[in-house]
């Protein structure tokens, strides 16, 4: 029996006089092929710069102390919370309501309305934060008002256009353009950061100045992209509906960003800025998974999920189940790679003062698996527009994180914060999946998903204990574990690994036929 909710109703107050139509999905292979291509495009803009930043870790750690890394981590988490308050959740409505408007004149009115509202709220919130920061942010976070808080607010003000552009690109499934844009931004930022930090010796200030320069340049670029859709009328009815949607998810986004901010503040209070810096380095090592890959997959997956759910067919739900199997398999493989190879990489690439960051990497990678399941199994909350549930999901994650941090940080420092972060991700995932499964029944291969996860635990434990004490031994054991993992799944007759093998063999056969 197919169990789905009804398609969402037209938002109240929106006057759409032209016939509605959903943009046709791009031609090509099946859902997994489209998803893999879009995720690659969204992710390559982050993965390549992350690779370059990874190779530059010896340079950064030579010129930046752990305390400098701690300052940058506090500035980053403060910026993430600041941008949520500035935008009021409104840009997120664009991704969903785009499918109601399509590429018609109503979209121009909508983008014009949203852009003006976002600029006003961003300026107002930015000025408020600057006014109260000397008595709130500076003493609690040990982050000086001048120049760090000023730089953080300026960077987020200049990123308003880029936020809207990113949402519109996501809705239009222009993933290739997104990849080019992300690469240009990230590579420019890296080049300026190297110049300011290694060349001018400006330390943490230089890193933030590099971000500010890039934000200013790409503010202009985003304005040019949005220009065709900025000549419409300002419509209060559109703004009202978008604010209703945005305010529904604003508490969730705010709680999500408050979690890392508060845990860093706790770590600063119970330990030091240097401990925050060690945690930041471990986070950077895990960020290709927890930051880039999850974000890229989420951007690629949501438009496809909304499109399939709107069709409400049995074959579409079967496609979602098959895609989940393959994505989960890829996520487990990536987890093993970073969790086992990341720690020896830190030891080999950084000075001794940073080596205590190595044990944090596998703990943080556990949160990546929870985030992947959250994206795969929990998006129906957004499709059904039950955004009032989202704060409950993020609230459970935040509460779990803070309770665990309060219990573990005083005695275990950065290690305790790492465990608290992963526990919070797991709690949020469980809550989101529970609520989503109440509205839609996707025929997942639950036993297969669990079995693959169990095999990952076995391989990780074996690779960890076989690694020895020397970093090259740990790297060799990690590489061997990556070979053992698919073999173990094959012997266990895992459906996903066998389907992957069949698809890969068919692809090679087709290409060989063309070449011959």
């Amino acid at each position: 029996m197919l169990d789905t909710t009804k398609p969402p109703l037209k938002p109240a107050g929106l006057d759409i006089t032209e016939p509605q139509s959903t943009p046709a999905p791009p031609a090509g292979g099946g859902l997994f092929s489209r998803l893999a291509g879009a995720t690659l495009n969204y992710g390559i803009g982050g993965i390549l710069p992350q690779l370059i930043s990874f190779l530059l870790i010896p340079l950064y750690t030579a010129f930046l102390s752990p305390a400098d890394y701690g300052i940058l981590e506090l500035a980053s988490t403060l910026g993430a919370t600041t941008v949520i308050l500035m935008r009021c959740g409104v840009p997120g409505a664009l991704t969903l309501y785009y499918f109601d408007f399509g590429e018609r004149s109503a979209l121009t009115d909508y983008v014009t309305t949203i852009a003006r509202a976002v600029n006003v709220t961003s300026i107002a919130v930015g000025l408020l934060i600057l006014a109260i920061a000397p008595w709130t942010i500076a003493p609690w976070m040990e982050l000086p008002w001048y120049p760090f808080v000023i730089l953080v607010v300026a960077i987020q003000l200049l990123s308003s256009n880029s936020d809207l552009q990113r949402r519109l690109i996501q809705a239009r499934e222009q993933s290739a353009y997104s990849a080019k844009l992300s690469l240009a931004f990230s590579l420019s930022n890296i080049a300026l950061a190297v110049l300011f930090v290694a060349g001018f010796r400006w330390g943490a200030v230089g890193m933030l100045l590099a971000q500010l320069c890039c934000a200013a340049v790409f503010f202009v670029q985003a304005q040019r992209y949005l220009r065709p859709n900025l000549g419409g009328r300002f419509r209060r009815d559109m703004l009202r509906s978008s604010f209703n949607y945005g305010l529904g998810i604003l508490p969730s986004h705010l709680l999500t960003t408050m979690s890392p901010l508060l845990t860093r503040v706790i770590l600063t209070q119970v330990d030091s800025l240097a401990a925050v810096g060690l945690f930041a380095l471990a986070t950077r090592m895990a960020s290709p998974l927890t930051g880039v890959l999850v974000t890229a997959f989420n951007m690629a997956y949501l438009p496809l999920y909304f499109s399939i759910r709107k069709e409400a067919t049995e074959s579409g739900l079967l496609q979602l189940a098959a895609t989940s199997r393959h994505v989960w398999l890829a996520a487990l493989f990536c987890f093993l790679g970073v969790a086992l190879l990341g720690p020896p990489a830190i030891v080999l690439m950084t000075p001794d003062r940073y080596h205590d960051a190595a044990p944090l990497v596998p703990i943080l990678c556990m949160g990546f698996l929870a985030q992947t399941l959250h994206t795969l199994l929990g998006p129906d909350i957004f499709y059904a527009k039950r955004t009032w549930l989202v704060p409950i999901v993020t609230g459970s994650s935040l509460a779990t994180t803070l309770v665990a941090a309060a219990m573990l940080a005083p005695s275990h420092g950065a290690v305790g914060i790492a465990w608290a972060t992963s526990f919070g991700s797991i709690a949020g995932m469980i809550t989101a999946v529970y609520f989503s499964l109440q509205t839609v029944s996707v025929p997942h291969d639950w036993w297969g998903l669990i079995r693959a996860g169990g095999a990952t635990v076995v391989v990780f434990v074996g690779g960890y204990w076989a690694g020895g004490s020397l970093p090259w031994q740990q790297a060799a054991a990690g590489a061997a574990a990556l070979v053992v993992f698919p073999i173990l799944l094959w012997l266990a007759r895992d459906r996903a690994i066998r389907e992957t093998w069949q698809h890969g063999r068919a692809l090679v056969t087709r290409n060989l036929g063309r070449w011959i």
Side-chain angles (χ1 to χ4, degrees), residues 8-99:
L9 300 176
K10 178 179 70 175
L14 294 186
D15 178 18
I16 306 174
T17 56
E18 300 173 60
Q20 299 187 33
S21 62
T22 302
L31 173 63
F32 184 73
S33 298
R34 287 169 57 195
L35 183 60
T39 302
L40 177 63
N41 284 331
Y42 285 127
I44 197 172
I47 289 294
L48 184 57
Q50 286 285 343
L51 177 60
I52 297 174
S53 293
F54 175 80
L55 297 176
L56 290 174
I57 283 178
L59 178 68
Y60 289 144
T61 52
F63 289 95
L64 296 174
S65 67
D68 288 329
Y69 258 98
I71 290 174
L72 291 173
E73 180 71 4
L74 291 173
S76 175
T77 54
L78 175 62
T81 302
T82 298
V83 75
I84 296 299
L85 293 172
M86 286 180 171
R87 308 300 189 258
C88 296
V90 173
L94 197 156
T95 306
L96 184 58
Y97 287 155
Y98 172 86
F99 292 94

Side-chain angles (χ1 to χ4, degrees), residues 1-5 309 314 317 380 437-442:
M1 176 66 99
L2 183 62
D3 179 22
T4 62
T5 58
R309 283 287 284 114
E314 189 74 38
L317 295 183
D380 216 71
L437 294 181
Q438 306 305 308
T439 59
V440 63
S441 178
V442 178

Side-chain angles (χ1 to χ4, degrees), residues 224-416:
R224 296 189 58 170
Y225 177 89
L226 296 170
R227 184 181 299 169
N229 297 116
L230 291 179
R233 297 181 296 117
F234 181 86
R235 293 176 53 176
R236 292 184 179 180
D237 55 337
M238 291 182 170
L239 182 59
R240 188 181 307 113
S241 296
S242 296
F243 258 115
N244 288 338
Y245 178 90
L247 292 177
I249 62 175
L250 176 61
S252 167
H253 289 173
L254 188 58
L255 291 174
T256 300
T257 58
M258 287 294 291
S259 179
L261 178 64
L262 293 176
T263 54
R264 274 55 163 188
V265 170
I266 291 173
L267 186 56
T268 303
Q269 296 297 316
V270 303
D271 203 319
S272 64
L273 276 175
V276 178
L278 295 176
F279 186 86
L281 179 61
T283 302
R284 177 181 288 258
M285 187 65 63
S287 62
L289 298 183
T290 59
V292 178
L293 197 56
V294 168
T295 301
F297 173 66
N298 185 65
M299 293 180 68
Y301 186 67
L302 284 184
L304 296 177
Y305 183 90
F306 291 157
S307 176
I308 288 177
R309 283 287 284 114
K310 194 168 187 178
E311 295 172 1
T313 62
E314 189 74 38
S315 61
L317 295 183
L318 288 172
Q319 278 188 302
L320 289 176
T323 301
S324 297
R325 289 196 300 272
H326 293 93
V327 170
W328 179 236
L329 178 63
L332 293 173
F333 188 84
C334 292
F335 163 80
L336 287 173
V338 177
L340 290 173
L341 299 179
I346 288 180
V347 175
L348 291 171
M349 298 176 66
T350 64
D352 292 344
R353 57 188 179 181
Y354 284 99
H355 288 181
D356 287 342
L360 308 180
V361 176
I363 304 172
L364 292 172
C365 287
M366 291 174 58
F368 160 72
L369 295 180
Q371 293 168 16
T372 301
L373 289 176
H374 190 155
T375 302
L376 280 174
L377 308 177
D380 216 71
I381 292 175
F382 295 97
Y383 175 79
K385 298 184 181 177
R386 302 168 68 197
T387 52
W388 59 273
L389 289 172
V390 180
I392 299 176
V393 174
T394 50
S396 67
S397 176
L398 177 61
T400 303
T401 300
L402 293 182
V403 170
M407 294 174 61
L408 298 174
S411 57
H412 298 284
V415 174

